[in-house]
Amino acid sequence: MPQVLQPFYTLHSRLCSLVVDCRAQVPEILYWGARLATATDAAMLALLATRQEAQACMPKEAPIALSPELGAGFQGNAGIQVHRDGRQWATRTQIESAQQTGSSELVVISRCAATAIKVAHKLVLDYQSDVLAATTELTNTGDSRLWVEQCNAPTIPLPAHYDKILGFAGRWAMEFQRQPVDLFMGSYLRENRSGRTSHDAFPGVIVHPCDTSEASGPAYGLHLGWSGNHRVRVEQQFVGRAYAQMGELLFPGELCLGTNQSYCSPVLYAASTENGLSALSQCFHGYVAAHLTDERIVDRARPVHFNTWEATYFDLSEEKLHRLVDAAAQIGVERFVLDDGWFKNRRSERAGLGDWWVDKTLFAEGLAPLAEHLLAKGMEFGLWLEPEMVNPDSDLYRAHPDWVLHANPAPVLLARNQLVLDLSRPEVQDYLFQRVDTLLAEYPITYLKWDMNRTISQPGDYLGRAAGHRQTLALYQLMARIRSAHPRVEIESCASGGGRADFGILAYSDRIWVSDSNDALDRLRIQNGFSVFFPARLMGAHVGPRDCHATGRNLSMAMRAGVALFGHMGIEANLLTMDVAEKTELTAAVALHKQHRELIHQGDLVRLDSAHHENAFGVIARDRKTALFSYALLDSPRTSAPGRLRMRGLDADARYRIECIWPRQPWGYSRSILDVIDSAIITGDALENAGLQLPIMHPQSLLIFYISAV
Ligand code: DGJ
């Protein structure tokens, strides 16, 4: 039965409400924020939102609709930008129907007679996590081809008092760096053309008023779940309105829809809070746990890894690997991951990619002896692959030089001596599936580290068309096919570290390799940024060698292990050359991680606002009975004695025992508070409001406190 269109639709979650205004025949967010009182109705909000005609402006402003429209005179970035060979470009839709399901889901269907398109906006507000998942789907209802230049996920108007943008920038080995910017008149625009999520332009942004902190204040957090090219925009218009918009970035001519063909934008994941940035992260973490974590692993303790890369690089031998297996087992490792270098002719970065056969000169009997050895030691077997890539020096390339992406007639550009396979070709998909399938059938592999070590700088297919969009979809399709054929196998998403970390890839992967930097100091900053959207449970964090390969810095084992144990912990250092004292320390850290991993992986993360030379955070169990707090001193402090650690998130009235559990021998040349407070009982209220006086520490060291209710 056709539904009568309502002027307003209201969705509610645990702490939020979202009101969509349909009075102007286009859906527009009228309100999104703290849950509204029952006595508040949408008409009141509409009344409050009444705007006056300003001088030298259009008498009636074009709405910041879910897809703002060129045909309505919108002067920002239109949500949908299409044309038919240069004509029919002025979109002006009319709502055809709106269907609300319960208080969590709304689908609005609109049609545009001028451009002959149908648009479906879908908004789903998750009750428990308060995360909104939103998409825009476009269908060509005309009888000629429709060129699509942009089809952004739903546009989000910003509250007028939000004047700060927190973006995330970075580079290889320094991903997820916070980049705060004042909201300004004009567009804050981050564009990614790397063909993967990217190290430098993470598709996420936070917008908030200037006094919001980790602990308090309102904020919107927005993230696009897409592993390819994207555009993130926050724009303040001269009329005083501002909006945030995200979508896929399409190359010229990349997307053309035939009659009745559709395109759906990547999912926009967005959260709104009144309680600070840590609360915003808890929304995203809760959503990932409930909706983007595969049920196979949701209740499975994350096994401690040993990864061979920084232990061996390309200098592999069976004998060395067997000895590493023995050493890893002694330290408490639960999964052994054989990284790059195991396949045919792969003696360096220069050759082998594409030839996914075990190198018989290294492993005369294949990988079976290694697999048997590590299984006998109680470990799982993981294997590194980089399926999307090919070295020109490989049998695969010699047989199929036409299988690579390129931008003819420009010469192909090598990076790390490799080229990118055109995954949208079915024969490429079949070849890769068949190779991976065979390896997984032949060996007891339960984990794949799926790497991707160059950008897609020339994303053209064999027909000369831009293919970035299809390449990303084809990657998802290949991963899905492998997952469905081998449901027991977990997959890690890696792209030279954290170059492919987003909620899109989480549908096909179970862990993210966050960075190639295992430098614990840099890691604290990287993991801090990563934690804004992603939970610790899927954050690959490894203890690297004393001399960090990315920075050359030397850090103590206490520091390296103390940082890695707050993620999905692993080890990536040569255990055969590590001295006994370090190994003993590392063994203790692995045991500590195992003892507390349930808390680390299931608890609520609270980042503490800290000075530039410090990093502090806590993880608090849902029942508030236990918590871990980490305090790291990154640099020399300006004062002789440091300040206080004010722990948040505890139950104010509960009495807690405090224990400093890491490092095992904290440094100090005079009696410190650590001797005095050991096992002291203090209330949550005092720990938060008075805080714990910190002891004198060396720079580049950290302390971990375990707090338990008595
Ligand atoms: C880049 C990854 O991030 C590293 O961990 C390692 O797997 C290398 N590739 C291997 O080539």
Side-chain angles (χ1 to χ4, degrees):
M1 207 169 86
Q3 285 201 325
V4 179
L5 186 65
Q6 309 291 318
F8 306 105
Y9 293 86
T10 302
L11 305 181
H12 294 293
S13 60
R14 201 168 54 93
L15 300 175
C16 290
S17 300
L18 181 130
V19 181
V20 177
D21 183 348
C22 293
R23 289 171 304 158
Q25 286 299 316
V26 284
E28 175 188 6
I29 293 177
L30 174 64
Y31 173 86
W32 179 39
R35 192 173 166 125
L36 296 166
T38 346
T40 305
D41 69 34
M44 296 174 187
L45 299 170
L47 201 62
L48 291 169
T50 310
R51 285 170 68 87
Q52 202 178 340
E53 178 186 342
Q55 282 174 317
C57 290
M58 296 300 288
K60 187 152 173 33
E61 290 169 323
I64 302 181
L66 294 178
S67 295
E69 298 184 320
L70 288 172
F74 186 70
Q75 292 183 7
N77 192 60
I80 292 173
Q81 298 180 31
V82 293
H83 63 92
R84 294 180 192 273
D85 296 331
R87 292 171 186 271
Q88 292 179 269
W89 53 272
T91 326
R92 187 75 177 98
T93 56
Q94 286 262 324
I95 295 178
E96 180 182 270
S97 67
Q99 178 77 47
Q100 177 162 354
T101 312
S103 62
S104 64
E105 185 175 320
L106 176 68
V107 178
V108 183
I109 310 281
S110 312
R111 283 183 192 269
C112 172
T115 54
I117 59 170
K118 180 174 114 179
V119 180
H121 289 110
K122 183 170 179 184
L123 307 177
V124 182
L125 186 58
D126 181 53
Y127 180 83
Q128 202 54 35
S129 69
D130 296 304
V131 168
L132 170 71
T135 49
T136 308
E137 189 180 72
L138 170 68
T139 305
N140 177 9
T141 54
D143 49 17
S144 61
R145 63 186 177 178
L146 182 79
W147 294 99
V148 181
E149 291 181 356
Q150 290 187 34
C151 177
N152 294 294
T155 302
I156 309 287
L158 301 175
H161 61 300
Y162 283 24
D163 56 0
K164 297 277 176 196
I165 299 169
L166 178 62
F168 298 85
R171 59 165 166 85
W172 173 77
M174 204 59 185
E175 299 85 342
F176 305 105
Q177 299 305 297
R178 291 172 177 232
Q179 192 179 51
V181 186
D182 287 344
L183 183 73
F184 52 90
M185 194 179 290
S187 283
Y188 164 93
L189 183 64
R190 298 298 314 275
E191 293 187 331
N192 166 41
R193 293 184 180 79
S194 71
R196 55 186 181 183
T197 322
S198 91
H199 291 84
D200 52 306
F202 173 72
V205 72
I206 291 173
V207 197
H208 61 88
C210 61
D211 48 1
T212 291
S213 65
E214 284 291 346
S216 66
Y220 281 0
L222 306 135
H223 165 60
L224 192 74
W226 181 243
S227 316
N229 297 326
H230 61 251
R231 194 179 271 121
V232 172
R233 183 189 302 269
V234 179
E235 179 174 20
Q236 187 188 45
Q237 301 181 294
F238 74 96
V239 289
R241 307 181 305 178
Y243 65 90
Q245 189 185 64
M246 293 187 179
E248 185 176 1
L249 186 153
L250 298 164
F251 277 34
E254 186 161 353
L255 193 62
C256 187
L257 299 179
T259 302
N260 293 328
Q261 284 183 338
S262 298
Y263 164 86
C264 189
S265 73
V267 182
L268 169 75
Y269 296 94
S272 165
T273 185
E274 299 298 308
N275 303 314
L277 303 186
S278 292
L280 197 68
S281 295
Q282 288 171 18
C283 297
F284 287 116
H285 297 176
Y287 188 88
V288 170
H291 300 282
L292 296 173
T293 306
D294 200 284
E295 56 188 26
R296 297 167 1 270
I297 63 156
V298 86
D299 294 321
R300 245 201 103 193
R302 305 291 61 224
V304 174
H305 279 199
F306 179 82
N307 180 292
T308 57
W309 181 237
E310 290 194 37
T312 63
Y313 296 107
F314 290 108
D315 189 14
L316 290 179
S317 76
E318 233 179 330
E319 185 263 344
K320 194 194 274 182
L321 289 170
H322 280 246
R323 287 199 292 135
L324 281 170
V325 166
D326 295 341
Q330 274 174 14
I331 281 173
V333 166
E334 296 161 312
R335 181 184 275 155
F336 190 94
V337 182
L338 177 57
D339 208 282
D340 199 352
W342 57 267
F343 48 98
K344 210 168 157 213
N345 293 330
R346 185 69 168 173
R347 294 290 76 75
S348 75
E349 294 174 0
R350 280 183 290 278
L353 288 175
D355 297 344
W356 302 110
W357 280 267
V358 178
D359 190 305
K360 288 293 171 75
T361 62
L362 284 179
F363 303 95
E365 295 167 53
L367 295 176
L370 177 67
E372 277 161 28
H373 188 57
L374 62 87
L375 290 185
K377 295 279 174 185
M379 285 184 270
E380 292 179 37
F381 186 20
L383 192 68
W384 179 96
L385 288 165
E386 195 178 359
E388 295 144 85
M389 298 293 161
V390 64
N391 286 119
D393 185 359
S394 65
D395 295 343
L396 179 68
Y397 187 77
R398 282 182 282 273
H400 301 286
D402 52 328
W403 277 11
V404 298
L405 294 172
H406 57 77
N408 273 348
V412 287
L413 298 172
L414 280 174
R416 210 195 190 208
N417 307 295
Q418 59 199 57
L419 297 166
V420 189
L421 292 169
D422 181 352
L423 297 192
S424 64
R425 290 179 78 137
E427 59 274 38
V428 175
Q429 287 256 346
D430 288 346
Y431 168 79
L432 292 173
F433 174 77
Q434 189 265 326
R435 284 318 314 143
V436 179
D437 183 54
T438 306
L439 285 164
L440 294 179
E442 191 170 353
Y443 299 113
I445 294 166
T446 49
Y447 187 83
L448 291 178
K449 176 176 174 184
W450 189 300
D451 206 344
M452 199 268 198
N453 283 306
R454 64 159 292 176
T455 57
I456 307 182
S457 41
Q458 295 173 310
D461 69 6
Y462 66 110
L463 295 172
R465 300 168 304 184
H469 168 70
R470 278 176 292 127
Q471 179 80 0
T472 309
L473 291 183
L475 168 75
Y476 289 164
Q477 195 184 330
L478 178 61
M479 293 178 93
R481 191 169 163 196
I482 292 168
R483 264 164 107 75
S484 98
H486 300 275
R488 268 170 24 87
V489 177
E490 292 181 29
I491 299 182
E492 174 175 53
S493 172
C494 168
S496 299
R500 194 147 64 194
D502 63 82
F503 285 12
I505 204 73
L506 287 187
Y508 313 96
S509 53
D510 309 281
R511 186 189 204 241
I512 288 176
W513 182 230
V514 179
S515 179
D516 274 354
S517 179
N518 289 320
D519 175 314
L521 272 197
D522 284 352
R523 266 289 179 146
L524 280 173
R525 298 191 179 100
I526 295 166
Q527 294 180 184
N528 176 299
F530 182 82
S531 76
V532 172
F533 292 93
F534 300 93
R537 195 179 156 69
L538 48 80
M539 177 173 81
H542 291 177
V543 179
R546 185 167 32 206
D547 298 339
C548 172
H549 75 167
T551 61
R553 206 159 16 210
N554 311 151
L555 293 165
S556 68
M557 176 56 80
M559 182 73 183
R560 282 177 278 146
V563 171
L565 67 76
F566 278 101
H568 178 178
M569 189 179 188
I571 297 156
E572 190 165 340
N574 191 349
L575 298 173
L576 305 177
T577 53
M578 190 178 278
D579 68 37
V580 175
E582 283 213 323
K583 262 201 242 175
T584 310
E585 192 83 343
L586 181 55
T587 311
V590 169
L592 192 66
H593 172 77
K594 287 181 182 171
Q595 188 183 342
H596 293 294
R597 68 183 152 192
E598 193 181 333
L599 168 57
I600 293 168
H601 293 156
Q602 314 284 357
D604 288 336
L605 175 72
V606 168
R607 289 178 302 263
L608 303 177
D609 291 297
S610 334
H612 191 66
H613 62 280
E614 301 167 311
N615 172 293
F617 62 89
V619 195
I620 299 103
R622 293 277 157 79
D623 63 6
R624 302 279 175 266
K625 291 220 161 68
T626 53
L628 288 169
F629 279 86
S630 162
Y631 173 85
L633 184 65
L634 310 178
D635 208 344
S636 299
R638 277 179 302 144
T639 52
S640 313
R644 291 188 176 208
L645 177 63
R646 295 174 54 174
M647 303 172 182
R648 275 196 298 111
L650 298 169
D651 180 348
D653 294 321
R655 293 154 58 78
Y656 292 99
R657 172 174 289 114
I658 315 178
E659 294 162 82
C660 179
I661 55 167
W662 190 261
R664 295 183 307 153
Q665 283 149 355
W667 175 87
Y669 83 108
S670 61
R671 183 174 150 83
S672 87
I673 188 169
L674 295 181
D675 303 327
V676 180
I677 54 131
D678 195 30
S679 295
I681 310 290
I682 318 263
T683 57
D685 165 53
L687 286 171
E688 173 162 355
N689 294 319
L692 168 78
Q693 169 63 52
L694 285 157
I696 293 170
M697 294 165 65
H698 271 162
Q700 309 190 342
S701 68
L702 57 71
L703 298 171
I704 300 174
F705 296 94
Y706 180 62
I707 313 292
S708 51
V710 293

